[in-house]
């Protein structure tokens, strides 16, 4: 997303200015071209050289002394694909809200027509001050993006809202702003992770799903403007930003949540690795090891509901249903059988069993089979990219 994108990073004078250095590093790592503009007070916290070395560009701090060009502020404003002010002080927010242009940053920002993201960071009482809130409202009403500060212990020892969010979070939100909103107005229901079927209070039947593939799809859909509900089995991943996550454990719980959210959904993507069978009679107390000669323990299992099949039966002509198929062999044959049996529009067939695709890996390779018999091959790549290509194909097929 950031490859060759032109990002203007504005840094103002707050203790969180050190986090702007990390944000700059992440932007550069993601492939962005970054120009930094600092206010005079920002330079009291972080030296200009740091930003210059990391951005590989001259840093603008004074319109009259810093630059060869007489219209550097206009050059930078027209160059930018997006601008992010992190941290943004109450003073800069006030100036931007009222069109005051009295330094390099505020003057440049007046000429920026690209999307602008403001990340306020200050003492809680200052942040909650009615004037600061009014100024933020003005900027938001004008179409700029405001990122709420985190809460916690602040540099001034006060506890409350005012901390600059982590740089990765700011990067994630900036990516969302820059992403084409081709899912705007669409509701997407995604399931991810494993289900966990109890044997007794300490043991369970499950599988190796980490949730990475399903979460990548949910995140990509949100960035593309979709309203996403994610029904998730137990995983070690943070709840994605801007998404409603519903936590479940068993197949029964996942079925109930998927079905109760089904009617509102336009696109349903069922990535979860659901246990096909569950113990018939889960015990309420721990099964004890028996001290006799019989070394075997038999646990009787019964079939779980097939959630995707139920969805396929209920789906309306306007809904688009995508299944995943984790196969160790006969990938194509099994995928095509499932597309028919479960009445799907598309199935992503996943050859599992290797370390670089399928369960747990950060990368994946899948073959997309469609109802009309067509096929689209996604070679090995990061799950984030697989997610976006899969969504491209869904949008294309939905017309
Ligand atoms: O989570 P990761 O570590 O990133 O791994 C990703 C993945 C390998 C789990 C994912 O890419 C994948 O292949 N998911 C589908 C796993 C699976 O359960 O496949 P299946 O062939 O058993 O099921 C086919 C489809 O029916 C799936 O969409 C599944 O969600 C659904 N199903 C299966 C059984 C059941 N009782 N109810 C269901 O809805």
């Amino acid at each position: 997303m950031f490859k060759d994108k032109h990002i203007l990073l504005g840094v103002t004078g707050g203790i969180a200015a050190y986090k702007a250095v990390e944000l700059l590093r992440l932007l550069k790592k993601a492939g962005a071209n970054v120009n930094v503009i600092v206010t005079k007070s920002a330079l009291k916290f972080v030296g200009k050289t740091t930003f210059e070395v990391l951005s590989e560009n001259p840093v603008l701090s004074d319109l009259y002394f810093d630059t060869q060009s007489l219209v550097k502020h206009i050059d930078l404003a027209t160059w930018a694909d997006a601008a992010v002010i992190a941290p943004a002080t109450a003073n800069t927010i006030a100036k931007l809200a009222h069109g005051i242009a009295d330094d390099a940053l505020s003057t440049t920002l007046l000429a920026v027509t690209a999307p602008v993201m403001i990340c306020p960071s200050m003492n809680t009482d200052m942040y909650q001050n009615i004037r600061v809130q009014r100024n933020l409202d003005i900027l938001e009403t004008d179409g700029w993006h405001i990122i709420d500060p985190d809460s916690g212990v602040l540099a001034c020892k006060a506890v409350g809202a005012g901390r600059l969010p982590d740089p990765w979070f700011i990067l994630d939100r900036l990516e969302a702003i820059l992403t084409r909103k081709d899912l705007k107005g669409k509701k997407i229901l995604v399931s991810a992770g494993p289900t966990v079927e109890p044997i007794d209070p300490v043991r369970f039947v499950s599988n190796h799903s980490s949730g990475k593939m399903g979460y990548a799809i949910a995140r990509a859909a949100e960035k593309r403007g979709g309203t996403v509900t994610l029904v998730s089995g137990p995983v070690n991943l943070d709840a994605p930003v801007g998404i409603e996550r519903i936590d479940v454990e068993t197949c029964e719980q996942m079925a109930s949540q998927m079905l109760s959210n089904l009617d509102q959904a336009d696109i349903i993507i069922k990535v979860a690795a659901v246990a096909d069978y569950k113990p018939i009679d889960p015990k309420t107390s721990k099964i004890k090891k028996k001290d006799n000669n019989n070394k075997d323990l038999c646990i009787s299992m019964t079939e779980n509901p097939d959630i995707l099949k139920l969805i396929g039966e209920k789906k309306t002509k306007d809904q688009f249903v995508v299944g995943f198929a984790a196969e160790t062999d006969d990938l194509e044959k099994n995928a095509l059988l499932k597309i028919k049996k479960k009445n799907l529009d598309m199935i992503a067939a996943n050859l599992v069993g290797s370390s670089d695709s399928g369960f747990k890996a950060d990368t994946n390779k899948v073959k997309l089979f469609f109802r009309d018999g067509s096929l689209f091959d996604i070679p090995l790549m990061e799950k984030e990219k697989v997610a976006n290509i899969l969504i491209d194909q869904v949008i294309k097929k939905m017309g």
Side-chain angles (χ1 to χ4, degrees), residues 191-194 207-214 251 270-276 304-309 322-327 338 342 344 347-348 350 352 358-361 364 366 383:
S191 77
N207 57 65
H208 293 299
S209 173
S210 62
K212 286 179 187 171
M213 189 65 248
C251 169
K270 187 105 199 1
V271 197
V274 184
D276 288 320
N304 256 330
D306 188 324
I307 310 169
L308 191 56
K309 191 157 176 280
V322 181
F324 265 70
E327 304 293 346
K338 282 177 188 169
K342 304 194 186 201
L344 311 176
I347 195 156
N350 216 173
V352 292
F359 293 106
K360 291 199 231 172
N364 207 1
V366 297
K383 282 182 173 166

Side-chain angles (χ1 to χ4, degrees), residues 126-388:
M126 286 172 76
Y127 174 66
Q128 283 166 350
N129 185 291
I130 191 164
R131 293 159 198 88
V132 173
Q133 288 301 316
R134 201 185 293 134
N135 289 336
L136 287 168
D137 283 348
I138 292 175
L139 293 175
E140 193 159 38
T141 311
D142 288 349
W144 285 10
H145 304 267
I146 312 295
I147 300 296
D148 291 340
D150 281 351
S151 291
V153 182
L154 307 176
C156 55
K157 306 281 184 289
V159 179
R163 271 161 59 148
L164 187 70
D166 285 338
W168 67 261
F169 179 87
I170 298 175
L171 190 80
D172 182 85
R173 291 302 84 198
L174 192 58
E175 187 180 353
I177 287 169
L178 286 168
T179 305
R180 196 164 29 107
K181 300 288 179 263
D182 49 7
L183 284 179
K184 200 170 165 51
K186 294 277 179 231
K187 292 207 166 77
I188 298 103
L189 178 61
V190 182
S191 77
T195 65
V196 166
E197 313 294 335
I199 297 171
D200 68 15
V202 294
R203 304 178 181 97
F204 54 81
V205 178
S206 190
N207 57 65
H208 293 299
S209 173
S210 62
K212 286 179 187 171
M213 189 65 248
Y215 275 55
I217 290 176
R219 279 196 301 267
E222 187 270 338
K223 289 203 175 100
R224 294 169 76 149
T227 305
V228 183
T229 302
L230 173 64
V231 179
S232 173
V235 294
N236 239 337
L237 301 172
D238 289 335
V241 188
I243 287 173
E244 184 200 4
R245 184 175 81 169
I246 303 170
D247 292 324
V248 296
E249 300 233 325
T250 63
C251 169
E252 294 276 359
Q253 291 167 359
M254 184 172 278
S256 138
Q257 290 299 335
M258 289 298 286
L259 294 175
S260 60
N261 283 284
L262 183 63
D263 286 353
Q264 301 94 292
D266 300 296
I267 301 167
I268 300 98
I269 309 183
K270 187 105 199 1
V271 197
V274 184
D276 288 320
Y277 293 91
K278 64 176 177 186
I280 271 186
D281 180 23
K283 303 293 177 220
T284 49
S285 41
K286 187 182 170 191
I287 301 170
K288 293 279 181 252
K289 189 177 172 189
K290 289 205 175 77
D291 225 1
N292 59 23
N293 287 335
N294 187 359
K295 303 274 183 227
D296 300 335
L297 171 71
C298 290
I299 297 167
S300 300
M301 309 272 274
T302 185
E303 211 177 344
N304 256 330
D306 188 324
I307 310 169
L308 191 56
K309 191 157 176 280
L310 292 172
I311 292 173
E313 283 162 11
K314 288 178 186 293
K315 104 182 182 70
T316 65
K317 64 173 179 29
D318 296 326
Q319 289 178 315
F320 196 93
V321 179
V322 181
F324 265 70
E327 304 293 346
T328 47
D329 31 40
D330 289 333
L331 186 71
E332 179 161 354
K333 191 175 130 214
N334 288 326
L336 290 174
L337 273 177
K338 282 177 188 169
I339 219 172
K340 271 211 180 116
K341 194 173 140 204
K342 304 194 186 201
N343 189 27
L344 311 176
D345 296 290
M346 175 177 131
I347 195 156
N350 216 173
L351 199 57
V352 292
S354 76
S355 60
D356 60 1
S357 73
F359 293 106
K360 291 199 231 172
D362 289 331
T363 48
N364 207 1
K365 58 171 183 270
V366 297
K367 282 183 194 302
L368 305 180
F369 294 97
F370 299 90
R371 212 186 170 80
D372 58 12
S374 55
L375 163 72
F376 189 92
D377 209 352
I378 307 183
L380 190 70
M381 59 182 77
E382 284 159 13
K383 282 182 173 166
E384 224 64 57
K385 287 186 185 154
V386 172
N388 271 303

